[in-house]
Amino acid sequence: MGRRTQAERSDATTSQLVSAAQELFGRNGYAATSIDAIAAAAGVTKGAAYHHFEGKPALFRAAFVREQEETAAMLGRLAMSEGDSWAALRRGCRTFLERCLDPGFRQIVILDGPSVLGWEAVREIEYGHTLRVLLDGMRMAAADGLLAEGNLPARAQLVFGALCEGGMLLARSPDPEADLPVLAAEAERLLEALKP
């Protein structure tokens, strides 16, 4: 096997830094995580971290994007395993709420994301990942005649907003495991209201 190119080494270092950032931001939160700690966890120098990222906010954004990519991929796989578009849509919404129980996702996406990145940047990133999966699912359900006519992009944003608020309730709950079934049932009622 030949030597890695500079681009391959650079990609590997970037990936190591993002993985370390995702782990530390997810465990300790944005405020309690330093670039020094991320560089050490990635096994690189602080200078290497700054070579690949402008600073801590850029590293956080990369960790946020990776959380979105992983969640969107998981939701896409689950949707493909369902028998019909309505079942896929229902399962996707519940799975998103379940994902909000994951400590790293909760800390990065629900708790720190909006304050570190700002609402517009968060929604822009989500639109390319988790919100896109929801919109695709709603389009499939509409094509199958399972959703009432209307503006699907606007409807998807409203449903997604409700799911994100559900995630926030879970994130701030003293007993999120106990609250999950209640919130999932309410999300199901919201979806049922969209049927023709």
Side-chain angles (χ1 to χ4, degrees):
M1 197 156 147
R3 291 173 50 115
R4 293 192 304 176
T5 66
Q6 177 60 32
E8 289 169 334
R9 287 192 301 275
S10 179
D11 288 347
T13 300
T14 299
S15 183
Q16 288 169 251
L17 283 162
V18 174
S19 293
Q22 192 177 10
E23 170 69 25
L24 293 176
F25 286 135
R27 184 178 5 150
N28 304 325
Y30 181 80
T33 301
S34 68
I35 287 201
D36 290 331
I38 293 169
V44 302
T45 65
K46 184 177 177 180
Y50 278 108
H51 175 74
H52 291 275
F53 294 94
E54 290 179 9
K56 186 169 143 179
L59 263 167
F60 181 84
R61 181 183 175 94
F64 185 95
V65 168
R66 185 171 288 173
E67 288 286 348
Q68 291 291 313
E69 290 168 346
E70 291 172 356
T71 303
M74 178 184 64
L75 292 172
R77 284 191 305 274
L78 289 173
M80 299 282 282
S81 70
E82 288 296 331
D84 64 69
S85 59
W86 186 253
L89 188 57
R90 288 176 54 227
R91 184 166 181 198
C93 289
R94 179 173 181 103
T95 300
F96 178 83
L97 290 172
E98 290 170 352
R99 182 84 168 119
C100 294
L101 297 181
D102 175 84
F105 181 87
R106 181 175 62 232
Q107 187 66 50
I108 292 170
V109 174
I110 304 295
L111 297 175
D112 285 340
S115 62
V116 175
L117 301 174
W119 186 87
E120 285 185 24
V122 164
R123 279 299 187 258
E124 177 188 327
I125 295 165
E126 289 171 336
Y127 190 80
H129 298 92
T130 49
L131 180 53
R132 177 190 47 79
V133 172
L134 175 61
L135 179 56
D136 290 348
M138 292 179 79
R139 284 183 172 138
M140 290 171 60
D144 292 342
L146 301 171
L147 285 180
E149 288 188 25
N151 184 313
L152 285 179
R155 191 175 295 168
Q157 293 239 3
L158 290 169
V159 170
F160 190 70
L163 291 171
C164 289
E165 282 299 312
M168 185 62 76
L169 288 170
L170 290 172
R172 299 198 183 282
S173 168
D175 191 356
E177 294 281 346
D179 290 339
L180 175 64
V182 174
L183 289 169
E186 292 303 323
E188 181 99 13
R189 286 187 187 92
L190 277 175
L191 286 180
E192 288 291 331
L194 301 177
K195 282 186 164 181

